[in-house]
Amino acid sequence: LYLDLDRFKHVNDSLGHAAGDALLREVAARIRGLLRQDGVAGRLPGDEFIVAVPLRAGEEINSLIERWQSRLMQPLQLTSTKVDLSVSMGVAMYPEDGTAMGTLLHRAEMGVHQAKAGGPGRAGFFSVELSRAAGERLALEAALREALQCGGLQLHYQPQVALATGRLYGVEALARWEHPELGSIPPSRFIPLAEECGLMGALGRWALDESCRQLAQWRRAGLVVPNMAVNLSASNFHNLELPAIVAQALETHGLQGSDLLLELTESILLDSHGAVMQTIERLHAQGVGLSMDDFGTGYSSLSYLRRLPITELKLDRSFVADLENATTARALSAAILGIGTSLGLTVIAEGVETEAQKEILKAQGYPVVQGYWFARPMPPQELPGWMAGQGMAA
C-alpha cells in the first residue's frame, strides 16, 4: 500500500510546520496501530508512507482497504483546529504485479497517482492498462520535448471581429500539434502534460516568440492585424523573468507592448504565489494588454477586476452556447457586459457558432466576438485569404 496525504501542503501553509509534523506523527501512529505482527511500514520523503502487509486466508483486499481508510481518515485535533484527514492509497499485489520490492513500490506509486486523479480519499490499483497508460504518457512527454526543440508545434490563429464595423479586432494564437506518427494531438491533452512535466516555460516562450514573429510578418506584407492575443498558464506568471521574455520577443520582431495581449484565467488571480501580482504589474507597465479569459466560470471576484490592470474580459463560451435557449444565460451575458463596460474594459464573447448567437450578442451591445460562425483557428497563410473574403482590406 502506497499512502499519500491529500492537502498536506495546505495544513503546513495554514497551521504551520509544527502542526504538519504533528499530523505526520499521528498518521504514523495510526498506521502502526493497524499493522499486524507480520507487516512492515515506513515513511517516504514528505507526506508519503509505504506499507507491506499480507492478506489473511480468505480476506479480500477491498475489506482491508476499507478498514485502513476508515481508521486513517478519522478527523484529528491539531492545536485548536479540527482537521479532516484525507488519504489516497495505491495498491500493488504480490506476485501478480511483481516479485521484486522495487517493482512493487513503483507500481503501488502508479496506483496512488491513478487514485489522486479521480479525487481525494480514493484507492487505485495497479493494472496492465495503467502501466500501458504510464508508458504512453512517457512516450508523449518525450515527443513533446522533441516537438518543442525541433519545431513540431504550430500556432493557428482565430480572428476576433468587431460587430459594429465588421473589421478585424485582433487574432488569438492557439497551439496545435500534428505528430507524424501519433496524428493530431489536441491542446486539452498536451497542455496539461506540459504543465505536469515542467515544459510550460518553454512552451510559453515559444508561443510568445512565434506569435510576435508572425504578427510582424503579416504587417510587413501589408496586412492590418491590430493585435495578437496569446494564452499563458499560471506557471508562466510565476516566472519573474516573464516581463523580460515578453520584452525580448517584442524587441526582436519590432513590435510595441500594445501589439500584444496576454490571456490569463481567474485561477491565476487566486494563486497565492507572490510572483504573480508582481509579474502582472510589470507587464502592464510595459504597455502589454491583459485579458481575463473564461470570465464567469470561476470565482469571478469583482475585487480582482477593481485591483488588476485588466484591459479585456472574455465571456466564456458556455454562456454563449445557451443564449438561444436559456433566459438566464442571456441575463448573465448582459450583466457581464455591463460590468466590463462600466469598468472601461473591452468585453469579447467567444464560442459564437450560430447566427442567432451573433445577433443576440449584437443586440446586447457586445463589441467583439469570435467563434466558428466567423472562422475556425487557421494556419497563418490562410488569414490573408479569409480577410479578403470578408471584405477586410489589406
Side-chain angles (χ1 to χ4, degrees), residues 172-295:
E172 180 181 359
L174 299 161
R176 295 292 183 264
W177 184 14
E178 193 72 31
H179 192 274
E181 297 171 5
L182 302 174
S184 180
I185 301 169
S188 59
R189 189 176 180 195
F190 71 79
I191 297 295
L193 176 63
E195 287 276 16
E196 292 170 17
C197 61
L199 290 175
M200 276 310 300
L203 187 59
R205 285 192 296 273
W206 165 79
L208 283 166
D209 185 71
E210 176 60 19
S211 58
C212 288
R213 184 199 65 77
Q214 184 58 63
L215 180 58
Q217 181 177 319
W218 278 329
R219 289 181 174 179
R220 285 195 299 271
L223 210 63
V224 180
V225 180
N227 63 63
M228 174 74 70
V230 180
N231 289 278
L232 293 180
S233 76
S235 56
N236 291 131
F237 282 91
H238 291 168
N239 184 6
L240 286 171
E241 295 302 313
L242 179 61
I245 293 169
V246 169
Q248 180 64 49
L250 292 170
E251 182 182 356
T252 299
H253 301 291
L255 300 176
Q256 303 297 315
S258 57
D259 294 325
L260 187 63
L261 256 159
L262 299 183
E263 296 193 0
L264 48 90
T265 59
E266 293 172 24
S267 61
I268 294 174
L269 308 181
L270 298 170
D271 199 312
S272 60
H273 200 290
V276 171
M277 291 302 300
Q278 185 178 343
T279 300
I280 287 174
E281 292 292 347
R282 287 174 60 195
L283 288 166
H284 174 64
Q286 293 174 202
V288 175
L290 292 163
S291 175
M292 187 182 289
D293 197 13
D294 302 335
F295 186 75

Side-chain angles (χ1 to χ4, degrees), residues 149-163:
Q149 293 170 359
C150 305
L153 295 174
Q154 289 184 317
L155 288 179
H156 283 197
Y157 302 88
Q158 187 170 39
Q160 299 167 329
V161 179
L163 276 178

Side-chain angles (χ1 to χ4, degrees), residues 280-352:
I280 287 174
E281 292 292 347
R282 287 174 60 195
L283 288 166
H284 174 64
Q286 293 174 202
V288 175
L290 292 163
S291 175
M292 187 182 289
D293 197 13
D294 302 335
F295 186 75
T297 57
Y299 292 88
S300 303
S301 172
L302 299 184
S303 65
Y304 281 119
L305 294 184
R306 179 176 57 84
R307 288 168 44 210
L308 287 168
I310 300 294
T311 52
E312 277 187 5
L313 287 184
K314 297 191 78 175
L315 177 71
D316 185 68
R317 64 183 64 247
S318 61
F319 294 105
V320 176
D322 292 336
L323 283 177
E324 297 172 64
N325 305 310
T327 55
T328 53
R330 292 194 290 274
L332 287 169
S333 67
I336 290 171
L337 175 64
I339 291 169
T341 303
S342 66
L343 294 172
L345 308 177
T346 301
V347 187
I348 300 176
E350 56 184 351
V352 180

Side-chain angles (χ1 to χ4, degrees), residues 52-55 91-101 103-104:
V53 58
L55 290 174
V91 184
M93 302 290 289
Y94 172 93
E96 298 97 317
D97 298 330
T99 56
M101 181 56 71
T103 302
L104 288 168

